[in-house]
Coordinates of all heavy atoms in Angstrom, one line a residue:
M1455 N 0.8 -1.2 0.0 CA 0.0 0.0 0.0 C 0.9 1.3 0.0 O 0.4 2.3 -0.3 CB -0.9 0.0 1.2 CG -2.0 -1.0 1.2 SD -3.2 -0.8 -0.2 CE -4.2 0.6 0.6
S1456 N 2.1 1.1 0.4 CA 3.0 2.3 0.5 C 3.8 2.5 -0.8 O 4.6 3.4 -0.8 CB 3.9 2.1 1.7 OG 4.8 1.0 1.5
R1457 N 3.6 1.7 -1.8 CA 4.3 1.9 -3.1 C 3.9 3.2 -3.7 O 2.7 3.5 -3.7 CB 4.1 0.7 -4.0 CG 4.8 -0.5 -3.6 CD 4.3 -1.7 -4.5 NE 4.7 -1.4 -5.9 CZ 4.3 -2.2 -6.9 NH1 3.5 -3.2 -6.7 NH2 4.6 -1.9 -8.2
P1458 N 4.9 4.0 -4.2 CA 4.6 5.2 -4.8 C 3.8 5.0 -6.1 O 4.1 4.0 -6.8 CB 5.9 5.9 -5.1 CG 6.9 4.7 -5.1 CD 6.3 3.7 -4.1
R1459 N 2.9 5.8 -6.4 CA 2.1 5.7 -7.6 C 2.7 6.5 -8.7 O 3.3 7.5 -8.5 CB 0.6 6.2 -7.4 CG -0.1 5.3 -6.4 CD -1.5 5.7 -6.2 NE -2.3 4.7 -5.6 CZ -3.6 4.4 -5.9 NH1 -4.1 5.1 -6.9 NH2 -4.3 3.5 -5.3
A1460 N 2.4 6.0 -9.9 CA 2.9 6.7 -11.1 C 2.2 8.0 -11.3 O 2.7 8.9 -11.9 CB 2.8 5.8 -12.3
T1461 N 0.9 8.1 -10.9 CA 0.1 9.3 -11.1 C -0.1 9.9 -9.7 O 0.0 9.3 -8.7 CB -1.2 8.9 -11.7 OG1 -1.9 8.0 -10.9 CG2 -1.0 8.3 -13.1
G1462 N -0.5 11.2 -9.8 CA -0.7 11.9 -8.6 C 0.5 12.7 -8.2 O 1.7 12.4 -8.6
A1463 N 0.3 13.8 -7.4 CA 1.4 14.7 -7.0 C 1.8 14.3 -5.6 O 1.0 13.9 -4.8 CB 0.9 16.1 -7.1
A1464 N 3.1 14.5 -5.4 CA 3.7 14.2 -4.1 C 4.4 15.4 -3.6 O 5.1 16.0 -4.3 CB 4.6 12.9 -4.2
T1465 N 4.3 15.6 -2.3 CA 5.1 16.7 -1.7 C 6.5 16.2 -1.3 O 6.6 15.2 -0.7 CB 4.4 17.2 -0.4 OG1 3.0 17.6 -0.7 CG2 5.1 18.4 0.2
T1466 N 7.4 17.0 -1.7 CA 8.8 16.6 -1.4 C 9.6 18.0 -1.2 O 9.0 19.0 -1.1 CB 9.4 15.8 -2.5 OG1 10.8 15.4 -2.2 CG2 9.4 16.5 -3.9
R1467 N 10.9 17.9 -1.2 CA 11.7 19.1 -1.1 C 12.6 19.2 -2.3 O 13.2 18.2 -2.8 CB 12.5 19.0 0.2 CG 11.7 19.4 1.4 CD 12.6 19.5 2.7 NE 11.7 19.8 3.8 CZ 11.4 21.1 4.2 NH1 11.9 22.1 3.5 NH2 10.7 21.3 5.2
C1468 N 12.8 20.4 -2.7 CA 13.7 20.7 -3.8 C 15.1 20.3 -3.4 O 15.6 20.7 -2.3 CB 13.7 22.1 -4.2 SG 15.0 22.6 -5.4
P1469 N 15.8 19.4 -4.2 CA 17.2 19.0 -3.8 C 18.2 20.1 -3.8 O 19.3 20.0 -3.2 CB 17.5 17.9 -4.8 CG 16.7 18.2 -6.0 CD 15.4 18.8 -5.5
T1470 N 17.9 21.2 -4.4 CA 18.8 22.3 -4.5 C 18.7 23.3 -3.4 O 19.6 23.7 -2.7 CB 18.7 23.0 -5.9 OG1 18.9 22.0 -6.9 CG2 19.8 24.1 -6.0
C1471 N 17.4 23.8 -3.2 CA 17.2 24.8 -2.2 C 16.4 24.4 -1.0 O 16.2 25.2 -0.1 CB 16.6 26.0 -2.9 SG 14.8 25.7 -3.4
A1472 N 16.0 23.1 -1.0 CA 15.3 22.5 0.2 C 13.9 23.1 0.4 O 13.3 22.9 1.4 CB 16.1 22.6 1.4
A1473 N 13.4 23.9 -0.6 CA 12.0 24.4 -0.4 C 11.0 23.3 -0.6 O 11.2 22.4 -1.4 CB 11.8 25.5 -1.4
P1474 N 9.9 23.3 0.1 CA 8.8 22.3 -0.1 C 8.2 22.5 -1.4 O 7.8 23.6 -1.8 CB 7.9 22.5 1.1 CG 8.1 23.9 1.5 CD 9.6 24.2 1.2
V1475 N 8.1 21.4 -2.2 CA 7.5 21.5 -3.6 C 6.6 20.3 -3.8 O 6.7 19.3 -3.1 CB 8.6 21.5 -4.7 CG1 9.4 22.9 -4.6 CG2 9.6 20.3 -4.5
L1476 N 5.8 20.5 -4.8 CA 4.9 19.4 -5.2 C 5.4 18.9 -6.6 O 5.6 19.6 -7.5 CB 3.5 19.9 -5.4 CG 2.3 19.0 -5.4 CD1 2.2 18.2 -4.1 CD2 1.0 19.8 -5.5
V1477 N 5.6 17.5 -6.7 CA 6.2 17.0 -7.9 C 5.2 16.0 -8.5 O 4.6 15.2 -7.8 CB 7.5 16.3 -7.5 CG1 8.1 15.5 -8.7 CG2 8.5 17.3 -7.0
Q1478 N 5.1 16.0 -9.8 CA 4.2 15.0 -10.5 C 4.8 14.8 -11.9 O 5.2 15.7 -12.6 CB 2.8 15.5 -10.6 CG 1.9 14.5 -11.3 CD 0.5 15.1 -11.6 OE1 -0.2 15.5 -10.7 NE2 0.1 15.0 -12.8
W1479 N 4.8 13.5 -12.3 CA 5.2 13.2 -13.7 C 3.9 13.4 -14.5 O 2.9 12.8 -14.1 CB 5.7 11.8 -13.7 CG 7.1 11.7 -13.1 CD1 7.3 11.2 -11.8 CD2 8.3 12.0 -13.7 NE1 8.7 11.3 -11.6 CE2 9.3 11.7 -12.7 CE3 8.7 12.5 -14.9 CZ2 10.7 12.0 -12.9 CZ3 10.1 12.7 -15.1 CH2 11.0 12.4 -14.1
V1480 N 4.1 14.1 -15.6 CA 2.9 14.5 -16.4 C 3.0 13.8 -17.8 O 4.0 13.6 -18.3 CB 2.9 16.0 -16.6 CG1 1.7 16.4 -17.4 CG2 2.9 16.7 -15.2
G1481 N 1.8 13.4 -18.2 CA 1.7 12.9 -19.6 C 1.7 11.3 -19.6 O 2.0 10.7 -18.6
H1482 N 1.2 10.8 -20.7 CA 1.1 9.3 -20.8 C 2.4 8.6 -20.6 O 2.5 7.5 -20.1 CB 0.4 8.9 -22.1 CG -1.0 9.4 -22.2 ND1 -2.0 8.9 -21.4 CD2 -1.6 10.3 -23.0 CE1 -3.1 9.5 -21.7 NE2 -2.9 10.4 -22.7
T1483 N 3.5 9.2 -21.0 CA 4.8 8.6 -20.9 C 5.6 9.2 -19.8 O 6.8 8.9 -19.6 CB 5.6 8.7 -22.2 OG1 5.7 10.1 -22.5 CG2 4.9 8.1 -23.4
A1484 N 4.9 10.0 -18.9 CA 5.6 10.6 -17.8 C 6.9 11.3 -18.3 O 7.9 11.2 -17.6 CB 5.9 9.6 -16.7
A1485 N 6.8 12.0 -19.4 CA 8.0 12.6 -20.0 C 8.3 13.9 -19.4 O 9.4 14.4 -19.5 CB 7.8 12.8 -21.5
L1486 N 7.3 14.5 -18.7 CA 7.6 15.9 -18.1 C 7.4 15.8 -16.6 O 6.4 15.3 -16.1 CB 6.6 16.9 -18.7 CG 6.6 18.3 -18.2 CD1 7.9 18.9 -18.5 CD2 5.5 19.1 -18.8
K1487 N 8.4 16.3 -15.9 CA 8.3 16.4 -14.5 C 7.9 17.8 -14.0 O 8.7 18.7 -14.2 CB 9.7 16.0 -13.9 CG 9.6 15.8 -12.3 CD 11.0 15.5 -11.8 CE 11.0 15.3 -10.3 NZ 12.4 15.1 -9.8
A1488 N 6.8 17.9 -13.4 CA 6.3 19.2 -12.9 C 6.8 19.3 -11.5 O 6.5 18.5 -10.6 CB 4.8 19.3 -13.0
V1489 N 7.5 20.4 -11.2 CA 7.9 20.8 -9.9 C 7.4 22.2 -9.6 O 7.7 23.2 -10.2 CB 9.4 20.8 -9.8 CG1 9.9 21.1 -8.3 CG2 10.0 19.4 -10.2
V1490 N 6.5 22.3 -8.6 CA 5.8 23.5 -8.4 C 5.9 23.9 -6.9 O 6.0 23.1 -6.0 CB 4.3 23.5 -8.8 CG1 4.1 23.1 -10.2 CG2 3.5 22.5 -7.9
D1491 N 5.8 25.2 -6.7 CA 5.8 25.8 -5.3 C 4.4 25.4 -4.7 O 3.4 25.2 -5.4 CB 6.0 27.3 -5.3 CG 7.4 27.6 -5.7 OD1 8.3 26.9 -5.3 OD2 7.6 28.6 -6.5
L1492 N 4.4 25.4 -3.4 CA 3.1 25.0 -2.7 C 2.2 26.2 -2.5 O 1.0 26.0 -2.2 CB 3.5 24.4 -1.3 CG 4.2 23.1 -1.3 CD1 4.4 22.6 0.1 CD2 3.5 22.1 -2.2
T1493 N 2.7 27.4 -2.6 CA 1.9 28.6 -2.3 C 1.0 28.9 -3.5 O 1.5 29.2 -4.6 CB 2.8 29.8 -2.0 OG1 3.7 29.4 -1.0 CG2 2.0 31.0 -1.5
P1494 N -0.3 29.0 -3.3 CA -1.2 29.3 -4.4 C -1.0 30.8 -4.8 O -0.7 31.6 -4.0 CB -2.6 29.1 -3.8 CG -2.4 28.2 -2.6 CD -1.1 28.6 -2.1
L1495 N -1.2 31.0 -6.1 CA -1.0 32.3 -6.7 C -2.4 33.0 -6.9 O -3.4 32.4 -7.2 CB -0.4 32.2 -8.1 CG 1.0 31.6 -8.1 CD1 1.5 31.5 -9.6 CD2 2.0 32.4 -7.3
T1496 N -2.4 34.3 -6.7 CA -3.6 35.1 -7.1 C -3.6 35.2 -8.6 O -2.5 35.0 -9.2 CB -3.5 36.5 -6.4 OG1 -2.4 37.2 -7.0 CG2 -3.4 36.4 -4.9
P1497 N -4.7 35.6 -9.2 CA -4.8 35.8 -10.7 C -3.7 36.8 -11.1 O -3.1 36.6 -12.2 CB -6.2 36.3 -10.9 CG -7.0 35.6 -9.9 CD -6.1 35.6 -8.6
A1498 N -3.5 37.9 -10.3 CA -2.5 38.8 -10.7 C -1.1 38.2 -10.6 O -0.2 38.5 -11.5 CB -2.5 40.1 -9.8
Q1499 N -0.8 37.4 -9.6 CA 0.5 36.8 -9.5 C 0.7 35.8 -10.6 O 1.8 35.6 -11.1 CB 0.6 36.1 -8.2 CG 0.8 37.0 -7.0 CD 0.8 36.3 -5.7 OE1 0.0 35.4 -5.5 NE2 1.6 36.7 -4.7
Q1500 N -0.4 35.1 -11.1 CA -0.3 34.2 -12.2 C 0.2 34.9 -13.5 O 1.0 34.4 -14.2 CB -1.6 33.5 -12.5 CG -2.0 32.5 -11.4 CD -3.4 32.0 -11.6 OE1 -3.7 31.5 -12.7 NE2 -4.2 32.1 -10.6
T1501 N -0.4 36.1 -13.7 CA 0.0 36.9 -14.8 C 1.4 37.3 -14.8 O 2.2 37.2 -15.8 CB -0.9 38.1 -14.9 OG1 -2.3 37.7 -15.0 CG2 -0.6 38.9 -16.2
A1502 N 1.9 37.7 -13.6 CA 3.2 38.1 -13.4 C 4.2 36.9 -13.5 O 5.3 37.1 -14.0 CB 3.4 38.8 -12.1
A1503 N 3.7 35.7 -13.1 CA 4.6 34.5 -13.1 C 4.8 33.9 -14.5 O 5.7 33.1 -14.8 CB 4.1 33.5 -12.2
R1504 N 3.8 34.2 -15.4 CA 3.9 33.6 -16.7 C 5.0 34.1 -17.6 O 5.1 35.3 -17.9 CB 2.6 33.9 -17.5 CG 1.5 32.9 -17.2 CD 0.3 33.2 -18.1 NE -0.9 32.9 -17.4 CZ -1.3 31.6 -17.1 NH1 -0.7 30.6 -17.6 NH2 -2.4 31.4 -16.5
E1505 N 5.9 33.2 -17.8 CA 7.1 33.5 -18.6 C 7.1 32.4 -19.7 O 6.5 31.4 -19.6 CB 8.4 33.5 -17.8 CG 8.4 34.5 -16.7 CD 9.6 34.2 -15.8 OE1 10.5 33.5 -16.2 OE2 9.6 34.8 -14.7
P1506 N 7.9 32.7 -20.8 CA 7.9 31.7 -21.9 C 8.3 30.3 -21.4 O 7.8 29.3 -21.9 CB 9.0 32.2 -22.8 CG 8.9 33.7 -22.6 CD 8.6 33.9 -21.2
N1507 N 9.1 30.2 -20.4 CA 9.6 28.9 -19.9 C 9.1 28.5 -18.5 O 9.6 27.6 -17.9 CB 11.1 28.8 -19.9 CG 11.7 28.9 -21.3 OD1 11.2 28.2 -22.2 ND2 12.6 29.8 -21.5
R1508 N 8.1 29.3 -18.0 CA 7.6 29.0 -16.7 C 6.1 28.7 -16.8 O 5.3 29.5 -17.3 CB 7.8 30.1 -15.8 CG 7.5 29.8 -14.3 CD 7.8 30.9 -13.4 NE 7.8 30.4 -12.0 CZ 7.9 31.2 -10.9 NH1 7.9 32.5 -11.1 NH2 7.9 30.7 -9.7
L1509 N 5.6 27.5 -16.3 CA 4.3 27.1 -16.4 C 3.5 27.4 -15.1 O 4.1 27.3 -14.1 CB 4.2 25.7 -16.8 CG 4.8 25.2 -18.1 CD1 4.8 23.7 -18.2 CD2 4.0 25.8 -19.3
V1510 N 2.2 27.6 -15.2 CA 1.4 27.7 -14.1 C 0.5 26.5 -14.1 O -0.1 26.1 -15.1 CB 0.5 29.0 -14.1 CG1 -0.5 29.0 -12.9 CG2 1.4 30.2 -14.0
W1511 N 0.4 25.8 -12.9 CA -0.3 24.6 -12.8 C -1.6 24.7 -11.9 O -1.6 25.5 -11.0 CB 0.6 23.5 -12.2 CG 1.8 23.2 -13.1 CD1 2.9 23.9 -13.1 CD2 1.9 22.2 -14.1 NE1 3.8 23.3 -14.0 CE2 3.2 22.3 -14.6 CE3 1.0 21.2 -14.5 CZ2 3.6 21.4 -15.6 CZ3 1.5 20.3 -15.5 CH2 2.8 20.5 -16.1
C1512 N -2.6 23.9 -12.2 CA -3.8 23.9 -11.4 C -3.8 22.6 -10.6 O -3.7 21.5 -11.2 CB -5.0 23.9 -12.4 SG -6.6 23.9 -11.5
R1513 N -3.9 22.7 -9.3 CA -4.0 21.5 -8.5 C -5.4 21.2 -8.1 O -6.1 22.0 -7.5 CB -3.2 21.8 -7.2 CG -2.9 20.5 -6.4 CD -2.4 20.8 -5.0 NE -3.4 21.4 -4.1 CZ -3.1 22.2 -3.1 NH1 -1.9 22.4 -2.8 NH2 -4.1 22.6 -2.3
F1514 N -5.8 20.0 -8.6 CA -7.2 19.6 -8.3 C -7.2 18.2 -7.8 O -6.2 17.4 -7.9 CB -8.0 19.7 -9.7 CG -7.6 18.6 -10.7 CD1 -8.4 17.5 -10.9 CD2 -6.5 18.8 -11.4 CE1 -8.1 16.6 -11.8 CE2 -6.1 17.8 -12.3 CZ -7.0 16.7 -12.5
Q1515 N -8.4 17.8 -7.3 CA -8.6 16.4 -6.9 C -9.8 15.9 -7.5 O -10.9 16.5 -7.6 CB -8.7 16.3 -5.4 CG -7.4 16.6 -4.6 CD -7.6 16.6 -3.1 OE1 -7.6 17.6 -2.5 NE2 -7.8 15.4 -2.5
A1516 N -9.7 14.6 -8.1 CA -10.9 14.1 -8.7 C -12.0 13.7 -7.7 O -13.2 13.7 -8.1 CB -10.5 12.8 -9.5
G1517 N -11.6 13.5 -6.5 CA -12.6 13.2 -5.4 C -12.0 13.5 -4.1 O -10.8 13.7 -4.0
P1518 N -12.8 13.5 -3.0 CA -12.3 13.8 -1.7 C -11.2 12.9 -1.2 O -10.4 13.3 -0.4 CB -13.6 13.8 -0.8 CG -14.6 12.9 -1.6 CD -14.3 13.1 -3.0
H1519 N -11.2 11.7 -1.7 CA -10.2 10.7 -1.3 C -9.1 10.4 -2.3 O -8.3 9.5 -2.2 CB -10.8 9.4 -0.9 CG -11.9 9.6 0.2 ND1 -11.5 10.0 1.5 CD2 -13.2 9.4 0.2 CE1 -12.7 10.1 2.2 NE2 -13.7 9.8 1.4
S1520 N -9.1 11.2 -3.4 CA -8.2 11.1 -4.5 C -6.9 11.9 -4.2 O -7.0 12.9 -3.5 CB -8.7 11.5 -5.8 OG -9.9 10.8 -6.1
P1521 N -5.8 11.5 -4.6 CA -4.6 12.3 -4.5 C -4.6 13.5 -5.3 O -5.3 13.5 -6.3 CB -3.4 11.4 -4.9 CG -4.1 10.4 -5.9 CD -5.5 10.2 -5.4
P1522 N -3.9 14.6 -4.9 CA -3.9 15.8 -5.7 C -3.3 15.5 -7.1 O -2.3 14.7 -7.1 CB -3.2 16.8 -4.9 CG -2.3 16.0 -4.0 CD -3.1 14.7 -3.7
R1523 N -3.8 16.2 -8.1 CA -3.2 16.1 -9.4 C -2.9 17.5 -9.9 O -3.5 18.5 -9.5 CB -4.2 15.4 -10.4 CG -4.6 14.0 -9.9 CD -3.5 13.0 -10.2 NE -3.0 13.0 -11.5 CZ -3.6 12.3 -12.5 NH1 -4.6 11.5 -12.3 NH2 -3.1 12.3 -13.7
L1524 N -1.9 17.5 -10.8 CA -1.6 18.8 -11.5 C -2.0 18.8 -12.9 O -1.8 17.8 -13.6 CB -0.1 19.1 -11.3 CG 0.5 19.3 -9.9 CD1 2.0 19.3 -10.0 CD2 -0.1 20.5 -9.3
R1525 N -2.5 19.9 -13.4 CA -2.8 20.1 -14.8 C -2.4 21.5 -15.2 O -2.4 22.4 -14.4 CB -4.3 19.8 -15.2 CG -5.2 20.8 -14.4 CD -6.7 20.4 -14.7 NE -7.5 21.2 -13.7 CZ -8.8 21.0 -13.6 NH1 -9.4 20.0 -14.2 NH2 -9.5 21.7 -12.7
W1526 N -2.1 21.6 -16.5 CA -1.7 23.0 -17.0 C -2.8 24.0 -16.8 O -4.0 23.7 -17.1 CB -1.3 22.9 -18.4 CG 0.1 22.5 -18.7 CD1 1.1 22.4 -17.8 CD2 0.6 22.0 -19.9 NE1 2.2 21.9 -18.4 CE2 2.0 21.7 -19.7 CE3 0.1 21.9 -21.2 CZ2 2.8 21.2 -20.7 CZ3 0.9 21.4 -22.2 CH2 2.3 21.1 -21.9
A1527 N -2.5 25.1 -16.3 CA -3.5 26.2 -16.2 C -3.3 27.3 -17.2 O -3.3 28.4 -16.9 CB -3.4 26.8 -14.8
T1528 N -3.0 26.8 -18.4 CA -2.8 27.8 -19.5 C -4.1 28.2 -20.1 O -5.1 27.4 -20.1 CB -1.9 27.2 -20.6 OG1 -2.5 25.9 -21.0 CG2 -0.5 27.0 -20.1
P1529 N -4.2 29.4 -20.6 CA -5.5 29.9 -21.2 C -5.9 28.9 -22.2 O -5.1 28.4 -23.0 CB -5.1 31.3 -21.7 CG -3.9 31.7 -20.9 CD -3.2 30.4 -20.6
P1530 N -7.3 28.7 -22.4 CA -8.4 29.4 -21.7 C -8.7 28.9 -20.3 O -9.8 29.2 -19.9 CB -9.5 29.1 -22.7 CG -9.2 27.7 -23.3 CD -7.7 27.6 -23.3
H1531 N -7.9 28.2 -19.7 CA -8.2 27.8 -18.3 C -8.4 29.1 -17.4 O -7.5 29.9 -17.4 CB -7.0 27.0 -17.7 CG -7.3 26.4 -16.4 ND1 -7.8 25.1 -16.3 CD2 -7.1 26.8 -15.2 CE1 -7.9 24.8 -15.0 NE2 -7.5 25.9 -14.3
P1532 N -9.5 29.2 -16.7 CA -9.8 30.4 -16.0 C -8.8 30.6 -14.8 O -8.5 29.6 -14.1 CB -11.2 30.3 -15.5 CG -11.4 28.8 -15.5 CD -10.6 28.2 -16.6
P1533 N -8.2 31.8 -14.6 CA -7.3 32.0 -13.5 C -7.9 31.9 -12.2 O -7.3 31.8 -11.2 CB -6.7 33.4 -13.8 CG -7.8 34.1 -14.7 CD -8.4 33.0 -15.5
D1534 N -9.3 32.0 -12.1 CA -10.0 31.9 -10.9 C -11.0 30.7 -10.8 O -12.1 30.8 -10.5 CB -10.8 33.2 -10.6 CG -11.7 33.5 -11.8 OD1 -11.7 32.8 -12.8 OD2 -12.6 34.4 -11.6
C1535 N -10.4 29.6 -11.3 CA -11.3 28.4 -11.4 C -11.7 27.8 -10.1 O -12.6 26.9 -10.1 CB -10.6 27.3 -12.3 SG -9.3 26.4 -11.4
G1536 N -11.2 28.2 -9.0 CA -11.6 27.7 -7.7 C -10.5 26.7 -7.1 O -10.6 26.4 -5.9
H1537 N -9.6 26.2 -7.9 CA -8.6 25.3 -7.4 C -7.3 26.2 -7.2 O -7.1 27.2 -7.9 CB -8.3 24.2 -8.4 CG -9.4 23.2 -8.6 ND1 -10.2 23.2 -9.7 CD2 -9.9 22.3 -7.7 CE1 -11.1 22.2 -9.5 NE2 -11.0 21.7 -8.3
P1538 N -6.4 25.7 -6.3 CA -5.2 26.5 -6.2 C -4.3 26.4 -7.4 O -4.2 25.4 -8.1 CB -4.4 25.7 -5.0 CG -5.5 24.9 -4.4 CD -6.5 24.6 -5.4
H1539 N -3.8 27.5 -7.8 CA -2.9 27.6 -9.0 C -1.5 27.8 -8.5 O -1.2 28.7 -7.7 CB -3.3 28.7 -9.9 CG -4.5 28.3 -10.8 ND1 -5.0 29.1 -11.8 CD2 -5.2 27.2 -10.8 CE1 -6.0 28.5 -12.3 NE2 -6.2 27.4 -11.8
L1540 N -0.6 27.0 -8.9 CA 0.8 27.0 -8.4 C 1.8 27.2 -9.6 O 1.6 26.7 -10.7 CB 1.1 25.6 -7.8 CG 0.0 25.1 -6.8 CD1 0.3 23.7 -6.4 CD2 -0.1 26.0 -5.6
A1541 N 2.8 28.0 -9.3 CA 3.8 28.3 -10.3 C 4.9 27.3 -10.3 O 5.2 26.7 -9.2 CB 4.4 29.7 -10.2
E1542 N 5.5 27.0 -11.5 CA 6.6 26.2 -11.5 C 7.7 26.7 -10.6 O 8.0 27.9 -10.5 CB 7.2 26.2 -13.0 CG 8.2 25.1 -13.3 CD 8.5 25.2 -14.8 OE1 8.0 26.0 -15.5 OE2 9.3 24.3 -15.2
H1543 N 8.4 25.8 -9.9 CA 9.3 26.2 -8.9 C 10.6 26.8 -9.5 O 11.1 26.2 -10.5 CB 9.7 24.9 -8.0 CG 10.8 25.2 -7.1 ND1 10.7 26.1 -6.0 CD2 12.1 24.8 -7.0 CE1 11.8 26.1 -5.3 NE2 12.7 25.4 -5.9
R1544 N 11.0 27.9 -9.0 CA 12.2 28.5 -9.4 C 13.1 28.6 -8.2 O 12.8 29.2 -7.2 CB 12.0 29.9 -9.9 CG 11.4 29.9 -11.3 CD 12.5 29.6 -12.4 NE 12.0 29.4 -13.7 CZ 11.7 30.3 -14.6 NH1 11.9 31.6 -14.2 NH2 11.2 30.0 -15.7
C1545 N 14.3 28.0 -8.3 CA 15.2 28.0 -7.1 C 15.7 29.4 -6.8 O 16.1 30.1 -7.7 CB 16.4 27.1 -7.4 SG 16.1 25.4 -7.1
T1546 N 15.7 29.7 -5.5 CA 16.3 31.0 -5.1 C 17.7 30.8 -4.8 O 18.5 31.7 -4.8 CB 15.5 31.5 -3.9 OG1 15.5 30.5 -2.9 CG2 14.1 31.9 -4.2
A1547 N 18.1 29.5 -4.6 CA 19.5 29.2 -4.3 C 20.3 29.0 -5.6 O 19.7 28.4 -6.5 CB 19.7 28.0 -3.4
E1548 N 21.5 29.5 -5.7 CA 22.2 29.3 -6.9 C 22.8 27.9 -6.9 O 23.4 27.5 -6.0 CB 23.4 30.3 -7.0 CG 23.0 31.8 -7.2 CD 22.5 32.0 -8.6 OE1 23.0 31.3 -9.5 OE2 21.5 32.8 -8.8
P1549 N 22.7 27.2 -8.0 CA 23.3 25.9 -8.1 C 24.8 26.0 -8.1 O 25.4 27.0 -8.6 CB 22.8 25.3 -9.4 CG 22.4 26.5 -10.2 CD 21.9 27.5 -9.3
T1550 N 25.4 25.0 -7.4 CA 26.9 25.1 -7.3 C 27.6 24.7 -8.6 O 28.7 25.0 -8.8 CB 27.3 24.2 -6.1 OG1 26.8 22.9 -6.3 CG2 26.8 24.8 -4.8
T1551 N 26.9 23.9 -9.4 CA 27.5 23.4 -10.6 C 26.6 23.8 -11.8 O 25.4 23.5 -11.7 CB 27.7 21.9 -10.6 OG1 28.4 21.6 -9.4 CG2 28.4 21.4 -11.8
L1552 N 27.1 24.3 -12.8 CA 26.4 24.6 -14.1 C 26.7 23.6 -15.1 O 27.8 23.2 -15.3 CB 26.7 26.0 -14.6 CG 26.2 27.2 -13.7 CD1 26.7 28.5 -14.3 CD2 24.7 27.2 -13.6
F1553 N 25.6 23.0 -15.8 CA 25.8 22.1 -16.8 C 25.7 22.7 -18.2 O 24.9 23.5 -18.3 CB 24.8 20.9 -16.6 CG 25.1 20.1 -15.4 CD1 24.4 20.4 -14.3 CD2 26.0 19.1 -15.4 CE1 24.6 19.6 -13.1 CE2 26.3 18.3 -14.3 CZ 25.5 18.6 -13.1
Ligands
ZN127 ZN1 -7.5 25.9 -12.2
ZN128 ZN1 14.8 24.9 -5.5

C-alpha cells in the first residue's frame, strides 16, 4: 500500500534549495516532471509569473479521497477556477554546478 504511484502529485523538497515543492510526472509517458511551489497564486500573480519557460499549474482532486493532481493552467483555463494555482518552482539558491 505504500508503493509510490505513477500518477498523482507528491510533496517533497527541492534537492537544490530545500524548499517544499509538489512533484508530479505528467503525460502518458511521464515525460515531463512538474515541480511547483506550494503557495497558491492570485490571478495577478499568475499573470506576473507567466514567462515563456515557466508554467502555471492547477492543483485539483478528482474526489475527496483522491490524491492531488496537477494540470496545466494555460489559457483558456480560468485563472479563478476555484482550485489552487501553483507556479513552476524557481530555485532561489544558486546551483553550485552549471551544466
Ligand atoms: Zn485551475
Ligand atoms: Zn529549488
Side-chain angles (χ1 to χ4, degrees):
M1455 291 295 283
S1456 62
R1457 287 174 59 189
R1459 291 182 167 220
T1461 58
T1465 304
T1466 182
R1467 281 185 181 274
C1468 173
T1470 305
C1471 70
V1475 291
L1476 200 59
V1477 174
Q1478 182 186 306
W1479 292 96
V1480 181
H1482 293 296
T1483 57
L1486 177 63
K1487 185 183 184 184
V1489 181
V1490 302
D1491 291 322
L1492 295 184
T1493 307
L1495 301 176
T1496 66
Q1499 286 173 322
Q1500 291 173 51
T1501 302
R1504 272 186 215 285
E1505 300 169 15
N1507 294 312
R1508 191 179 194 189
L1509 298 171
V1510 175
W1511 298 85
C1512 180
R1513 192 189 73 202
F1514 71 102
Q1515 288 177 254
H1519 302 294
S1520 301
R1523 302 286 304 275
L1524 296 171
R1525 61 187 168 189
W1526 277 344
T1528 50
H1531 189 91
D1534 57 349
C1535 77
H1537 294 108
H1539 283 184
L1540 312 172
E1542 193 174 4
H1543 174 65
R1544 282 283 168 85
C1545 275
T1546 53
E1548 291 290 328
T1550 54
T1551 307
L1552 291 176
F1553 291 96

